Amino acid sequence: MSAQVHVLASGSTGNATYVALGGAKVLVDAGISARRIQKGLESIGVAVSELDAVVLTHEHRDHVLGLGTLTRRHGVPVYARPAAWQAMKGKDKMEASCCRELPERLHIGGVDIHTFPISHDAADPVGFNFFHHDVKCSVATDLGFATETVVRALAYSDILVLEANHDVNMLEGGSYPWHLKQRILSNRGHLSNDAAAWLLAKLPKKKQTEVFLAHLSQENNRPQLALETVETILRSQSVGDEENNIRLLLTYPDQMTSL
């Protein structure tokens, strides 16, 4: 498979995922500093100037923090939904010529990039599918819940970056104020470990699927807990055998995770 996916960082403090497929080099979100993005890309032999585009899932700070420097210093084109541009804070710090409207379908370097709507408390949040020949890579984080549209969009992915944000018991018993707990648990909040597992269990899958568990909460989750929860539910549904194999990888806010 000729795809590379490197999650440079994932979590409430910042998100950025590098996808290289076909002739395209694309960053999904830029929610960490441009310096961290540059260092992360250089560690895998890629210069920021080689990026064809940044595509944005939505306008929240942990997905857009590095855009000002990326556009001013490097001239990287950035694609976002019109409503996201309108709602985005700090757009005035970006190079205006780099700010572009994200259509439902985008073609870059021989790769087809399709958006699909997700449920989150943002202006017009989306997930992404990347297609090149018979390879499909998908990114779906910041999901309040997995709609049937999301299930159809993620079906038969070779590589999937999927949110497993919190453990419900940790969140409910944790220190967050009640209004924030309600937001996270709502249909426009974030996907729990259990919800991520059940989504994976019901997805139509290829024989081999690589899954990054992403956007883990640092206060309301633990990497090993997320992994064990998802694995346990998948085993209970007989997912993960030789005919339907899923390989799970954990992502972190302060380090890169690669296939």
Side-chain angles (χ1 to χ4, degrees):
M1 184 170 57
S2 59
Q4 293 183 50
V5 176
H6 302 269
V7 179
L8 305 184
S10 184
S12 57
T13 56
N15 300 271
T17 297
Y18 172 71
V19 178
L21 183 62
K25 296 179 178 180
V26 178
L27 198 65
V28 179
D29 292 330
I32 56 178
S33 70
R35 180 180 177 82
R36 282 188 63 192
I37 291 171
Q38 181 176 343
K39 289 180 66 176
L41 292 177
E42 287 177 347
S43 73
I44 55 173
V46 178
V48 173
S49 59
E50 295 179 59
L51 289 174
D52 295 296
V54 178
V55 294
L56 298 182
T57 58
H58 63 292
E59 72 280 3
H60 290 167
R61 177 179 171 81
D62 59 324
H63 295 259
V64 305
L65 177 67
L67 290 178
T69 302
L70 284 179
T71 57
R72 293 193 311 271
R73 294 187 183 175
H74 303 284
V76 181
V78 179
Y79 294 84
R81 299 294 293 160
W85 281 127
Q86 291 180 359
M88 192 182 302
K89 295 180 180 178
K91 182 186 173 184
D92 58 327
K93 298 178 182 178
M94 298 174 57
E95 174 59 48
S97 63
C98 294
C99 301
R100 305 180 184 182
E101 182 176 319
L102 175 67
E104 291 184 1
R105 296 191 175 190
L106 187 64
H107 188 78
I108 296 176
V111 173
D112 291 310
I113 304 173
H114 296 184
T115 68
F116 53 90
I118 60 175
S119 174
H120 190 55
D121 57 353
D124 186 9
V126 295
F128 291 101
N129 282 325
F130 295 77
F131 298 95
H132 180 67
H133 297 319
D134 60 346
V135 178
K136 177 182 179 181
C137 300
S138 304
V139 178
T141 62
D142 297 73
L143 300 169
F145 74 110
T147 64
E148 287 304 313
T149 297
V150 169
V151 173
R152 289 193 298 271
L154 300 183
Y156 301 110
S157 298
D158 293 282
I159 302 171
L160 170 58
V161 180
L162 179 66
E163 177 171 58
N165 176 256
H166 60 276
D167 174 80
V168 173
N169 291 331
M170 286 185 68
L171 176 62
E172 291 180 339
S175 63
Y176 280 13
W178 177 238
H179 70 87
L180 182 53
K181 293 179 182 181
Q182 286 182 305
R183 171 188 173 263
I184 293 169
L185 292 167
S186 76
N187 284 347
R188 301 190 69 203
H190 291 280
L191 211 62
S192 70
N193 296 337
D194 297 77
W198 286 111
L199 170 57
L200 286 173
K202 72 186 291 188
L203 273 183
K205 289 174 280 294
K206 293 185 177 180
K207 186 173 181 179
Q208 175 72 35
T209 307
E210 312 282 352
V211 179
F212 292 85
L213 298 180
H215 214 303
L216 274 66
S217 170
Q218 290 176 270
E219 180 162 343
N220 301 304
N221 210 348
R222 297 289 181 270
Q224 194 60 35
L225 176 59
L227 187 63
E228 291 174 356
T229 300
V230 174
E231 286 179 337
T232 298
I233 291 175
L234 291 180
R235 280 197 301 268
S236 76
Q237 301 301 301
S238 299
V239 177
D241 57 25
E242 291 184 359
E243 296 301 317
N244 201 3
N245 191 32
I246 287 180
R247 183 162 74 106
L248 300 173
L249 301 98
L250 290 165
T251 66
Y252 302 89
D254 55 356
Q255 66 185 64
M256 182 165 61
T257 305
S258 303
L259 286 176

